[in-house]
Amino acid sequence: VKRERLFLLDGMALAYRAYFSFISHPLINSKGENTSAIYGFVNALMKILNDEKPEHIAVAFDTRHPTFRHVMYERYKATRQKMPEDLSSQMDRMKQVILAFNVPLIELKGYEADDIMGTLARQAEKEGIETYLVTGDKDFMQLISPLIRMYRPGKRGDEWETLDESAVKEKFGVTPEHVIDVLGLTGDASDNVPGVAGIGEKTAIPLVQEYGTIETILASLDKIPQKGVRQKLIDHREDALLSKKLVTIDINVPLSVDISGLRASAPDAKKLLQHFTELEFKSLIRKFSETPEMFGELTDEPVEITASDAHLTDITSDPHEYHLVTAEKDLKKLVEQLKKADLFVFDTETTSTNPLQCELIGISIAIKPKEAWYISVDSNGSDHAIEMKTALKLLEPVFANPKIKKVGQNIKYDMLALASHGMETKNAAFDTMIASYLLRPDGSHGVDALAAEHLQYKMISYDELTGSGKNKKPLREIEPAKVSEYSGQDADITLRLYELLNTKLSEAGLAKLGNDLEFPLVDVLADMEFTGVKIDAKFLQEFSKELEKEIEHRRKEIFRCSGGEFNVNSTQQLGKILFETLKLPTGKKTKTGYSTDIMVLESLRGTHEIIDLLLDYRMLQKLKSTYVDALQTLINPKTGRVHTSYNQTVALTGRLSSSDPNLQNIPIKTELGRSIRKAFIPGGPGMKILAADYSQIELRIMAHVSGDESLREAFVNGEDIHSTTAAKVFGVSTEDITREMRRKAKEVNFGIMYGIGPFGLSTRLHIPQAESKEIIRKYFERFPKVRQYIDDTLSSARKNGYAVTMLGRRRFFPDINSRNANVRANAERQAINMPIQGTAADMIKLAMIDIHRAIAQKKLSAKMLLQVHDE
């Protein structure tokens, strides 16, 4: 009889594995977010769901809270490096994606994922269900039995192995029940489990084979012939017993779920597609059309089993007074209170995440903690709402008053939502999302996460208000009283967060950065986004047709080279053409076929004319779909303009990022790419587009912060900095510098700022590593204070855990002291660059604020439209 199967995934272990598999080439989307861990995890989860088709499944995660092991041994995991910042930033979204797969997610305060998985595995064993523990952690070998196995990922994504009792015997030379004895003797450096100092596996395994348990070994010390081993066991007797307890997985965790609650069900296709689109997982999005059976139909809300929120206060247990305002007389009373206030918090409720195309449902306002007002509005007016124009007219005197400070969570959205309905907001003095970002750029900045972290408060979720799946209701159809509680809470909690985070900014020395730079920038960005950029739609339509002709021409040329027609967009078909028909050199073939990604094609340049054609074909396709066609769909029908969103809380260096669409990423490297810029046109008659940028800004900052006389002198004298560097490094006069020397010098100038080493430079310049090493040596010989700057920056980052810009902006580097050389080197490169790139980002923001103010003061008709890093 075929048994039912349960797959239990070790969430954190798989997340780390996915993250580090992309460490040299991380996946970064257009918002600047690292999505490597989520992408890798999703692929592993999909493999299990589609290949194994388990009847039961769940993912277990550790929590941030101490466990019983920390109570038992204070130094448990004390030496473990903090989670990399660009991994921790992915964890919340990863969990959301797991739930969209309708896979139960389990975490419990005080216990590790190991204990949750061990408890469920033993439960399943009693019910005759086979369990597969999806993890690479050797500790789980102690659980293996006839009905429990490990399902371990290999080094390559397609290499998975199943470990049973015989595999444990082969690995440890002992049966599963004695794995804890071997581990107790050897300890575990990664978890800071002490073990017996000086005893490794070669000594531990024979001891366990001979005597059995650690307790038996310690009772038989007089029988152990090796004097040194005997003494080590005597000296570290307590460590051995403690270590065994620490490595033993608890199989009696008090879970509120049993195996029946872990039954696998179809994913929520709609939610998955939304996540994949926001994360920009194009290959996974394609699978929705190529293999729809993977994702199924829309289903009800997924099961979420968690006890990690049990310690949080929520609206039901928190005294508060939230007022629903539906009458004009009550709104007038509120306005009178607001006129006397120095500061208030506001939040809008709308029908869309696009603030310029949304419908306003209501506005919530808070002046003091635990009290808020929700103003329900309707364009037509009703018994349950105030007519919108009337409400906005009454509110405008206080919202447009620059003397009254306004506070919000992502306040720019709310300002734009009100602006799209004709009401201006002045003096956005504080944004709790931005304040959180300044304090810890690598943290979570959503209001739910901030409320839980800083106030130990659990917010009402949007889905709790509107329902989900088939039961979801439009916000307009929800009773105003319920919306009042939800929205009033948003304003109230934001006010409480403001009071707390404002103090924290001052304590961290970051108040000036917020008050002089980031918060004033909100007004600037809101104005830019509201203005938008005029787009020549007719030009884009014609250009799209031109690109289609070019794409078709490349397609026919590819067919000519390959000897026949095939689907050029099919990885499998293309792989067979390249590596079987044309017999081009390739790496190992996987179960799914040959890889034909951009790195593979670039490595094959020069081997066959089809490679250049394929690279051209893909470049043209990307230009057409990602830019030319996409821009047309994003033109606002009311304004005829594209309105991007600038993100202040994404890039860890302080740079702005742009999304929906990303206008900072318009191609410029090819003639066709540059042609797209012709679609951006002046907004009206007699207007011009002016571009202004900082020249060599990062190199100038390098000269300033390092104080290197040679670099400073070159800029002061207006020299070509790359020619100056070439002359210094190659020991020639400026007249004798060749184009090749200048090119190499340019790569060195920019590479040094990113902590480049001999290998990296040799790869960039296509020269021997010995030559690149010599070039770097000569560079530091000629510019010694640059070397000193790098050494001082790294020393400070290692000591403090972060690097700072000239204005005090911080970026944290939890991996700067990592024992993993590759991980540490990556953190060091980022630390070297942060003070330079971050300072450049701060300077352009200051310039934007000054220009915006000057335009207003001089009452010019000019408008600031775009920002692309240093221009």
Side-chain angles (χ1 to χ4, degrees), residues 337-345 367 401-407 427 429 498:
Q337 285 194 61
L338 292 175
K339 285 178 180 177
K340 300 170 188 173
D342 296 321
L343 171 152
F344 67 84
V345 166
I367 305 171
N401 185 344
K403 293 181 181 177
I404 303 174
K405 295 176 182 177
K406 320 301 184 304
V407 174
N427 195 2
Y498 157 71

Side-chain angles (χ1 to χ4, degrees), residues 545-561 568 609 612-614 616-617 620-621 672:
K545 292 175 186 174
E546 181 185 332
L547 286 174
E548 187 55 56
K549 289 177 185 176
E550 292 289 333
I551 290 167
E552 186 56 34
H553 172 68
R554 298 301 192 287
R555 187 185 283 116
K556 288 177 179 176
E557 286 293 292
I558 289 166
F559 293 158
R560 176 185 61 77
C561 291
V568 184
E609 64 175 315
D612 283 338
L613 289 167
L614 285 166
D616 275 358
Y617 173 82
L620 292 167
Q621 272 200 321
L672 279 170

Side-chain angles (χ1 to χ4, degrees), residues 27-36 90 93 278-279 650:
L27 301 180
I28 308 293
N29 65 18
S30 64
K31 300 169 190 170
E33 300 167 333
N34 187 325
T35 59
S36 305
Q90 299 179 62
R93 175 56 73 90
E278 290 173 359
L279 291 162
V650 172

Side-chain angles (χ1 to χ4, degrees), residues 720 722-723 726 737-746:
D720 174 358
H722 302 312
S723 295
I737 294 166
T738 64
R739 283 185 65 184
E740 184 63 11
M741 286 178 179
R742 187 182 183 280
R743 184 181 75 85
K744 289 180 179 179
K746 184 177 180 179

Side-chain angles (χ1 to χ4, degrees), residues 8-205:
L8 294 172
L9 284 66
D10 184 349
M12 203 61 77
L14 291 174
Y16 265 94
R17 174 184 174 273
Y19 171 78
F20 282 110
S21 68
F22 288 95
I23 194 68
S24 57
H25 299 286
L27 301 180
I28 308 293
N29 65 18
S30 64
K31 300 169 190 170
E33 300 167 333
N34 187 325
T35 59
S36 305
I38 305 173
Y39 182 79
F41 191 102
V42 166
N43 276 289
L45 179 58
M46 286 174 62
K47 173 184 171 56
I48 292 166
L49 290 172
N50 297 311
D51 292 1
E52 303 296 338
K53 296 181 172 55
E55 288 79 14
H56 308 271
I57 190 167
V59 181
F61 277 97
D62 301 330
T63 72
R64 295 180 181 178
H65 303 282
T67 68
F68 68 90
R69 293 181 180 88
H70 293 91
V71 175
M72 192 186 300
Y73 180 51
E74 191 178 348
R75 292 193 51 74
Y76 180 65
K77 291 191 175 181
T79 55
R80 180 169 285 194
Q81 294 291 322
K82 190 177 183 297
M83 185 186 293
E85 56 187 289
D86 50 357
L87 171 57
S88 64
S89 64
Q90 299 179 62
M91 295 309 297
D92 285 345
R93 175 56 73 90
M94 184 185 293
K95 292 177 182 180
Q96 292 169 17
V97 174
I98 292 167
L99 292 173
F101 270 103
N102 270 335
V103 170
L105 187 156
I106 311 174
E107 49 189 17
L108 186 61
K109 182 178 175 182
Y111 295 92
E112 296 182 54
D114 309 34
D115 306 313
I116 293 168
M117 292 168 69
T119 299
L120 291 170
R122 291 294 188 224
Q123 279 184 18
E125 187 176 41
K126 291 175 184 175
E127 296 179 28
I129 295 171
E130 285 184 0
T131 298
Y132 289 81
L133 305 166
V134 185
T135 180
D137 188 344
K138 64 181 182 295
D139 289 14
F140 282 92
M141 290 182 180
Q142 64 187 270
L143 296 171
I144 290 179
S145 72
L147 287 181
I148 301 174
R149 299 176 179 86
M150 278 178 68
Y151 190 67
R152 188 164 70 176
K155 292 182 180 178
R156 296 173 62 90
D158 58 335
E159 294 175 350
W160 291 69
E161 61 175 334
T162 302
L163 302 182
D164 57 13
E165 290 175 294
S166 61
V168 177
K169 195 81 164 58
E170 184 181 335
K171 163 68 178 169
F172 274 111
V174 298
T175 53
E177 64 265 28
H178 287 305
V179 167
I180 53 175
D181 298 296
V182 174
L183 294 174
L185 290 172
T186 60
D188 185 341
S190 65
D191 287 346
N192 203 34
V193 174
V196 176
I199 290 185
E201 283 188 6
K202 287 184 179 178
T203 304
I205 291 171

Side-chain angles (χ1 to χ4, degrees), residues 674-690:
R674 288 191 291 273
S675 295
I676 295 173
R677 296 192 166 202
K678 294 175 186 173
F680 295 81
I681 56 176
M687 302 195 85
K688 301 279 186 187
I689 292 179
L690 169 71

